[in-house]
Amino acid sequence: MGGLWYEEFDPGRVFQHAIRRTVTESDNVLFSCLTHNPQPLHIDFDFAEKHSEFGKPLVNSLFTLGLMVGISVNDTTLGTTIANLGMTDVRFPKPVFHGDTIRVETEVISRRESKSRPDAGIVEFEHRAYNQHGDQVGICRRQAFMRKKPAE
């Protein structure tokens, strides 16, 4: 698997993820519809133009959150995660719009061994997302239950 084991996540390590993603109108509308979110700020161009301070649709922030975490997976947890335990301190300092290209960096904040499972530990990550202008558009802390490296 491409993911790292619990022991390989040293606190302070920062990953600059090579994968970037341009967000499309289709991404935003499909995600909003799939999650039953009828917010006109996301799916109604006329409403967004006439009744929002941005004058155009905003990308659904939960799509931004999912993309931010998803971009990190290949470099960090692909195949080595047991489960996500939670996400905290989720913020969206600037909006994301159709056509924005998102890049992500991930910092290992901490790790601790599991008290109930000797084959696993908990790693806390901070994911940070930026648009093509370098503006931070998302940040969250994620706690992941990670597999330890198997005995040889």
Side-chain angles (χ1 to χ4, degrees), residues 19-45:
I19 296 173
R20 298 174 0 138
R21 175 78 149 62
T22 300
V23 180
T24 67
E25 175 186 345
S26 179
D27 294 329
N28 189 37
V29 172
L30 180 62
F31 184 87
S32 295
C33 291
L34 285 172
T35 56
H36 293 280
N37 183 344
Q39 175 54 255
L41 285 172
H42 302 314
I43 63 173
D44 185 332
F45 276 77

Side-chain angles (χ1 to χ4, degrees), residues 60-85:
N60 188 313
S61 59
L62 292 180
F63 177 84
T64 302
L65 175 63
L67 182 61
M68 181 169 51
V69 172
I71 285 174
S72 77
V73 168
N74 195 57
D75 295 327
T76 57
T77 63
L78 184 65
T80 55
T81 302
I82 297 167
N84 279 321
L85 300 177

Side-chain angles (χ1 to χ4, degrees), residues 135-149:
D135 300 324
Q136 189 174 56
V137 296
I139 186 169
C140 84
R141 294 243 175 151
R142 177 171 68 108
Q143 300 77 39
F145 199 36
M146 299 299 302
R147 295 183 196 285
K148 286 187 176 179
K149 190 172 186 173

Side-chain angles (χ1 to χ4, degrees), residues 72-131:
S72 77
V73 168
N74 195 57
D75 295 327
T76 57
T77 63
L78 184 65
T80 55
T81 302
I82 297 167
N84 279 321
L85 300 177
M87 294 179 198
T88 59
D89 303 319
V90 178
R91 297 185 309 279
F92 305 101
K94 299 261 182 178
V96 174
F97 299 105
H98 304 158
D100 281 351
T101 299
I102 305 302
R103 70 173 177 83
V104 176
E105 65 184 21
T106 298
E107 182 175 352
V108 178
I109 301 299
S110 65
R111 72 175 189 203
R112 69 173 178 82
E113 296 198 16
S114 171
K115 294 177 180 140
S116 61
R117 294 205 25 198
D119 64 336
I122 298 166
V123 177
E124 183 174 35
F125 300 101
E126 183 173 271
H127 303 292
R128 299 180 289 260
Y130 301 88
N131 67 16

